[in-house]
Amino acid sequence: MPTEHPEMDDDQIHEIWVQWKRAHRYVDEAVVSASTEASGLTQAELSVLLRLGAAPGGLRQHTLAEALEWHRSRLSHQLTRMETRGLVERAGSEDHGVMVRPTEEGLRKLNSARPAQLKAIRRTLIGPLNRIEVTALSALTGRIAAPFTGPDGINEPLDDSGPAPGTTPSW
């Protein structure tokens, strides 16, 4: 149950929101820029490959669309482009769904982004903080994201009613 924090006025709460958005934009832009430059992948390709790289055996296309919070047609077009570049492969599954897996080339390019990605994360997100603040940031972001993460680590779809009952929450 969220805490109301009656000791904070609306201006203070709004300022926290503005700072959060500013920090997120700064860190995200730095990490994406470093990752795309190092790997030769687009931001969309990185997003897809990050999800697939974390799922041994791949993901059903429908599940991948939900995890990325993308419309199915957007994902389908993106996967077609990525297949052409040799980054992913799609295959029908026994339950009539489509499985998506990264290729060796896709994983190689994803892994080539990692050193630059980590360097940018350290520089923009971790570097300005001391060890206690990093620990607190990890705890806070985990606590904020928890209601929006499913048990399999996939983002739960958001709607006006909030997170799905009994659930806990990229690039």
Side-chain angles (χ1 to χ4, degrees), residues 87-171:
L87 302 173
V88 298
E89 58 188 16
R90 289 186 275 191
S93 65
E94 294 175 9
D95 62 356
H96 304 289
V98 176
M99 288 298 295
V100 184
R101 293 177 186 82
T103 62
E104 289 298 318
E105 176 66 5
L107 291 174
R108 186 189 69 71
K109 284 189 170 277
L110 177 63
N111 289 333
S112 73
R114 190 154 173 84
Q117 177 190 41
L118 290 172
K119 184 177 180 180
I121 292 168
R122 284 186 177 102
R123 180 176 46 82
T124 59
L125 182 64
I126 305 302
L129 308 176
N130 65 39
R131 175 169 266 143
I132 293 169
E133 291 167 331
V134 170
T135 301
L137 177 65
S138 178
L140 292 170
T141 54
R143 187 171 176 178
I144 291 167
F148 308 106
T149 303
D152 57 1
I154 302 291
N155 293 355
E156 290 294 321
L158 297 177
D159 63 23
D160 291 337
S161 63
T167 62
T168 54
S170 92
W171 179 270

Side-chain angles (χ1 to χ4, degrees), residues 26-59:
Y26 169 70
V27 172
D28 189 57
E29 287 174 2
V31 172
V32 168
S33 177
S35 300
T36 57
E37 186 176 313
S39 66
L41 296 167
T42 67
Q43 181 177 359
E45 290 167 341
L46 277 167
S47 296
V48 169
L49 289 170
L50 280 167
R51 289 291 182 173
L52 293 175
L59 289 172

Side-chain angles (χ1 to χ4, degrees), residues 3-18:
T3 307
E4 289 298 319
H5 298 287
E7 72 281 3
M8 297 181 72
D9 66 31
D10 289 349
D11 289 340
Q12 290 171 310
I13 292 170
H14 186 261
E15 183 57 26
I16 291 169
W17 170 249
V18 169

